[in-house]
Amino acid sequence: EDKVVQSPLSLVVHEGDTVTLNCSYEVTNFRSLLWYKQEKKAPTFLFMLTSSGIEKKSGRLSSILDKKELFSILNITATQTGDSAVYLCAVSHSGYALNFGKGTSLLVTP
Amino acid sequence: SAVISQKPSRDICQRGTSLTIQCQVDSQVTMMFWYRQQPGQSLTLIATANQGSEATYESGFVIDKFPISRPNLTFSTLTVSNMSPEDSSIYLCSVSEVSNYEQYFGPGTRLTVT
């Protein structure tokens, strides 16, 4: 059975800290791994990773995939209160549909 | 990325009734999906909406309970039938292209069944 496991499930940090969120997966016919930020209802797309070892970066956020060890990390540097959200990891397999992890709830305190 | 809208954004319904949720995209897309997010849970795929043919449902979801239409490449509906309080969830449509695997979500419909 396909699995996507995120850790930690929740995290509280102070503004300015750096955080690392983890996502491990076991899926057949892996196509890609996607990261989303969910603040209210709709998940907002952050990154899509298909190749090992190539870092994707957007501002203070970055992510990398290891297809040999079957995991990805999402880094957020110099965190701000606006980064408070649930971060979702999802894996796309043969049918294009996504299999989601349970998410990491991040709270950044002033 | 495509701009996706959903209607209604929220609704409160009585048990035993049905609600149809609409998803509109501002450009033609190949793949459309419907997800459910129950309170405190992550997203679960309900079905893939296929243009011009029956939707493909995931295990645990059936057409009688969640009928889906997709008459063209920019529009789809999901109906939640004979609702019970357990159907209270956020329902989200998403779109993707076969040329890449990026998937974008609509704003969601928050459904409460009393």
Side-chain angles (χ1 to χ4, degrees):
Chain A
E1 185 180 324
D2 294 345
K3 282 196 300 187
V4 179
V5 179
Q6 292 186 245
S7 63
L9 291 181
S10 66
L11 194 54
V12 181
V13 301
H14 293 295
E15 263 190 322
D17 287 351
T18 293
V19 298
T20 298
L21 310 183
N22 305 291
C23 177
S24 64
Y25 63 91
E26 293 177 30
V27 297
T28 53
N29 299 315
F30 173 88
R31 284 184 185 267
S32 61
L33 185 144
L34 295 87
W35 284 97
Y36 291 89
K37 178 182 182 182
Q38 186 176 32
E39 293 177 89
K40 291 185 179 176
K41 289 188 298 185
T44 302
F45 176 84
L46 295 175
F47 297 113
M48 185 181 73
L49 304 156
T50 56
S51 302
S52 272
I54 299 175
E55 185 182 54
K56 292 263 180 114
K57 197 169 170 64
S58 176
R60 296 177 293 103
L61 278 66
S62 64
S63 184
I64 197 162
L65 174 68
D66 186 329
K67 289 170 73 173
K68 182 179 176 185
E69 299 298 328
L70 307 183
F71 78 91
S72 173
I73 60 172
L74 175 68
N75 280 322
I76 309 174
T77 59
T79 51
Q80 302 171 357
T81 55
D83 295 327
S84 296
V86 175
Y87 290 83
L88 297 167
C89 171
V91 175
S92 168
H93 48 93
S94 54
Y96 294 89
L98 297 177
N99 188 357
F100 280 85
K102 293 185 183 299
T104 294
S105 177
L106 173 66
L107 176 63
V108 182
T109 60
Chain B
S1 62
V3 176
I4 308 166
S5 60
Q6 279 187 238
K7 285 195 290 189
S9 62
R10 61 175 59 220
D11 207 342
I12 302 173
C13 301
Q14 291 192 337
R15 68 172 68 210
T17 63
S18 298
L19 177 72
T20 295
I21 302 167
Q22 298 179 4
C23 178
Q24 179 76 54
V25 191
D26 70 342
S27 59
Q28 293 186 343
V29 291
T30 309
M31 313 290 291
M32 292 183 79
F33 306 93
W34 287 98
Y35 290 82
R36 178 176 77 179
Q37 188 174 31
Q38 294 177 300
Q41 304 295 315
S42 193
L43 280 74
T44 301
L45 178 66
I46 298 171
T48 302
N50 301 309
Q51 193 255 331
S53 65
E54 193 172 288
T56 305
Y57 289 86
E58 296 298 303
S59 176
F61 296 96
V62 295
I63 187 171
D64 289 347
K65 176 66 176 176
F66 297 102
I68 288 171
S69 78
R70 190 171 174 199
N72 56 52
L73 293 176
T74 64
F75 185 78
S76 178
T77 66
L78 168 74
T79 298
V80 186
S81 303
N82 188 24
M83 287 184 284
S84 67
E86 292 70 37
D87 295 318
S88 297
S89 297
I90 297 172
Y91 292 85
L92 296 141
C93 70
S94 70
V95 303
S96 183
E97 282 294 350
V98 294
S99 57
N100 69 59
Y101 310 126
E102 293 182 5
Q103 194 164 131
Y104 297 92
F105 284 84
T109 296
R110 186 182 298 275
L111 170 63
T112 302
V113 183
T114 60

